[in-house]
Structure formats: structure tokens, C-alpha cells
Amino acid sequence: QVHLVESGGGLVQAGGSLRLSCAASGLTFNNYDMGWFRQAPGKEREFVAIRWSSGSTIYADSVKGRFTISNLNGNNMVYLQMNGLEPEDTAVYYCAARTPSSRGSYYSPSGYRYWGQGTQVTVSS
């Protein structure tokens, strides 16, 4: 059974940093593309970043240059380093996994099979 568990959320002032972690179990990590999404109150869940199983990455324009998705030392963890946080980044952040053969788009939630429970990030102005 696949489990994705996020951690690292919290309250931070604008301009600050947080690092989110996602622990994956029950899957062969290197066979999956790992993504981060976020959902603000009253808004749809939106794509933030993806780390392909090959190791390459793509970011949403809104976070490019500020956020970094990574997997360190080949462990079953994916991280989202968030710098220069803005109040607009306030949301619940979700980790998600998809197989490379998924037909869904990488920037759409429907393209992912497994999801974590989410972690709240709040940025105060």
C-alpha cells in the first residue's frame, strides 16, 4: 500500500523560508514522478513543481526561482525548499506521485495516482 506523508509546514513571515518533506513508502521510488501541488481556500488545486523519475524538474511560473524540488541521496523522500515566501503562497501543500506512463498531464491533479494528506503553509505579511 502506497503512503505519502508530508511534513514541514507552518507559519512564516513574508520573505522567509520553509522546507517541506514528503516520505514515500509502498512504491519503487525511482519508478515514479513526484510532484507538489497546493490549494488555497476557495481555489482549485494547482501545480507547483515536479521531479521526473529521470531527475529533471519543472516549476510553475509563480514559484520559479524561489522553490526547489529535490531528492537527496536517492532516499524515498522528496523535498520542496521554499525561499522568498509571499502571502500568496499560503495554501495546503500536497505531495503526489505518478507513473511515467500516466496519461494525465503533469500539471493536472488528475495526472497523479497517489496523494498525501497535505501540510499547511501560512505566510504572514
Side-chain angles (χ1 to χ4, degrees):
Q1 190 171 6
V2 175
H3 289 285
L4 302 177
V5 180
E6 303 96 335
S7 61
L11 173 64
V12 64
Q13 289 188 333
S17 298
L18 282 175
R19 189 178 82 156
L20 305 183
S21 300
C22 173
S25 61
L27 54 75
T28 304
F29 186 79
N30 290 334
N31 291 346
Y32 283 78
D33 307 321
M34 300 299 296
W36 285 95
F37 282 73
R38 65 187 181 185
Q39 188 166 17
K43 295 188 177 181
E44 294 186 351
R45 194 168 297 190
E46 66 172 1
F47 169 78
V48 174
I50 185 172
R51 180 189 178 275
W52 302 100
S53 57
S54 64
S56 59
T57 58
I58 296 177
Y59 297 90
D61 287 344
S62 60
V63 308
K64 199 174 297 182
R66 300 188 298 124
F67 291 11
T68 303
I69 186 172
S70 65
N71 163 254
L72 301 178
N73 301 321
N75 58 10
N76 282 18
M77 299 283 292
V78 63
Y79 305 95
L80 186 68
Q81 177 67 43
M82 306 186 295
N83 299 327
L85 283 162
E86 304 166 352
E88 294 74 20
D89 296 317
T90 294
V92 177
Y93 282 71
Y94 297 91
C95 174
R98 54 175 271 150
T99 62
S101 61
S102 171
R103 294 183 177 182
S105 171
Y106 70 88
Y107 55 81
S108 171
S110 64
Y112 294 75
R113 183 172 181 181
Y114 301 109
W115 291 86
Q117 81 290 349
T119 185
Q120 176 70 47
V121 172
T122 303
V123 184
S124 63
S125 56

